[in-house]
Amino acid sequence: MTAAPRHFLDICDFDSATLNGIIARARAMKNARRDWPKGRREPGEPLRGRMLALIFSRPSTRTRVSFEVGMRQLGGETLVLSSNDMQLGRGETIADTARVLSRYCDAIMIRAAHHANLTELAAAATVPVINGLTDLTHPCQVMADVMTLEEHEGPLKDQTVAWVGDGNNVTASWIHAVGRLGGRLRIGCPSEFRPSPEVLAWAGEVGADVMVTESPEEAVSGAGCVITDAWVSMHDTDGERRHNLLKPYQVNRRLMSAAARDARFMHCLPAHRGEEVTDEVMDGPASLILDEAENRLHIQKSILLHCLNADGR
Ligand code: CP
Ligand code: NVA
């Protein structure tokens, strides 16, 4: 019997030792290549001969480029596929697509319009599937975010993090991260845009230290890091309503001054400057946005090594 593929679908699927191991290896690979050209391959090219398919049902800059560059650095190759250009767009089932791609490729990353598309793909694929964002979660992003925060502030378990704005897919993965790795998460959002009841129930079951308030000031009080994201995510259709309700949740200098002294700022990008965050905060000394974007590369290389069982564990 062949072993089940090692998917990377959500942070909540893993124990803390596995997650910390993935982060530690990402940090080691990052440190080793500080002065190297971006295209230089890793010693030993651990994924030489491996082919990664990248399926996009939504646009992307960071996810696409970081997976493409990361796979090449590991010695492997990539195929970028837009779901609109595939027979998927004409009604071929996700399961049939998964079975066929599993015959050509060694792993599949998907940015899916619906979380159910990801789980259906993973259920039928015989190769590892990686979640590159769905309407419900964005685990690769939050693994990079945790790596970034830990580089600057130490272990997540000792941190208080504030999420301000829409309780969206990135928030859900942050809840998963705190549930598995520790730390305190304070979410400030309008009652209309709270994280889903399912993810909050999960947080309760695992004893995650997660608090939700309608007050952005209460959320950031005592937090060493303030995070926000777009008010209108790629799957949202109610843009005007969101802008009206989320306006009081803008991260600006006034809100940052209500957080802990020297609090950091994070945003997964793309940002809508002047909406969820001001230029002053985005470009200020507390901003870690470019480290977060860079760390997508390092963490995803480590995730690929985990999924393709090329990590010696
Ligand atoms: N943060 C993130 O996933 O960016 P992209 O949408 O550009 O991939
Ligand atoms: N919440 C955003 C994240 C983009 C990377 C979205 O889903 O559009």
Side-chain angles (χ1 to χ4, degrees):
M1 213 177 89
T2 37
R6 292 176 103 176
H7 300 312
F8 189 82
L9 302 185
D10 271 313
I11 291 174
C12 57
D13 300 336
F14 298 94
D15 59 23
S16 62
T18 305
L19 296 170
N20 283 324
I22 290 172
I23 294 170
R25 185 183 37 224
R27 194 177 302 130
M29 284 192 291
K30 177 179 181 177
N31 290 338
R33 60 182 303 126
R34 275 201 191 281
D35 302 321
W36 294 5
K38 305 287 189 293
R40 185 183 294 179
R41 304 214 166 158
E42 293 291 327
E45 300 185 22
L47 297 188
R48 183 169 7 176
R50 306 291 190 105
M51 182 64 73
L52 171 69
L54 303 167
I55 305 177
F56 288 95
S57 301
R58 300 276 190 217
S60 166
T61 297
R62 280 143 290 268
T63 303
R64 173 176 174 169
V65 177
S66 54
F67 268 109
E68 287 216 67
V69 171
M71 192 63 183
R72 281 170 175 66
Q73 288 182 355
L74 292 167
E77 299 193 42
T78 54
L79 286 173
V80 180
L81 306 164
S82 155
S83 59
N84 287 335
D85 298 335
M86 299 168 73
Q87 296 288 11
L88 260 179
R90 291 184 58 247
E92 184 168 17
T93 69
I94 292 171
D96 284 343
T97 306
R99 292 182 195 108
V100 170
L101 289 184
S102 297
R103 298 291 180 102
Y104 300 131
C105 301
D106 299 290
I108 304 168
M109 189 244 49
I110 182 165
R111 167 160 287 190
H114 306 287
H115 198 82
N117 298 351
L118 167 80
T119 51
E120 211 179 320
L121 190 85
T126 54
V127 299
V129 171
I130 299 173
N131 177 356
L133 180 147
T134 72
D135 53 341
L136 299 189
T137 57
H138 197 1
C140 291
Q141 179 66 53
V142 173
M143 289 292 281
D145 291 355
V146 171
M147 175 181 171
T148 306
L149 187 60
E150 292 193 336
E151 279 173 352
H152 291 272
E153 299 290 322
L156 180 62
K157 66 179 173 47
D158 303 328
Q159 311 295 324
T160 300
V161 175
W163 177 277
V164 179
D166 184 23
N168 66 12
N169 44 5
V170 183
T171 327
S173 289
W174 259 104
I175 292 171
H176 289 158
V178 167
R180 288 297 184 231
L181 297 173
R184 294 163 293 281
L185 182 63
R186 306 287 175 250
I187 300 168
C189 60
S191 57
E192 289 82 352
F193 301 127
R194 286 168 62 90
S196 73
E198 291 78 14
V199 76
L200 290 175
W202 179 87
E205 280 160 28
V206 301
D209 191 343
V210 175
M211 178 271 266
V212 187
T213 169
E214 284 185 49
S215 159
E217 289 79 15
E218 187 186 1
V220 304
S221 171
C225 181
V226 176
I227 315 177
T228 192
D229 188 13
W231 289 342
V232 185
S233 281
M234 290 182 273
H235 54 272
D236 290 323
T237 49
D238 52 346
E240 194 181 330
R241 179 166 162 263
R242 290 177 159 272
H243 275 91
N244 291 336
L245 289 168
L246 285 158
K247 221 176 208 120
Y249 294 82
Q250 183 186 69
V251 178
N252 48 36
R253 190 160 55 167
R254 184 194 56 74
L255 190 65
M256 287 301 290
S257 69
R261 207 184 132 99
D262 297 327
R264 309 286 185 165
F265 170 73
M266 297 210 293
H267 189 310
C268 65
L269 307 180
H272 306 76
R273 289 168 176 261
E275 294 182 10
E276 75 269 12
V277 58
T278 56
D279 285 338
E280 203 172 32
V281 173
M282 281 282 282
D283 304 325
S287 176
L288 301 182
I289 55 174
L290 294 179
D291 288 349
E292 282 180 88
E294 178 185 338
N295 285 340
R296 292 291 302 277
L297 169 68
H298 307 297
I299 204 75
Q300 287 160 194
K301 286 166 67 183
S302 191
I303 290 169
L304 284 164
L305 291 174
H306 168 84
C307 291
L308 287 164
N309 208 2
D311 55 4
R313 280 189 291 133

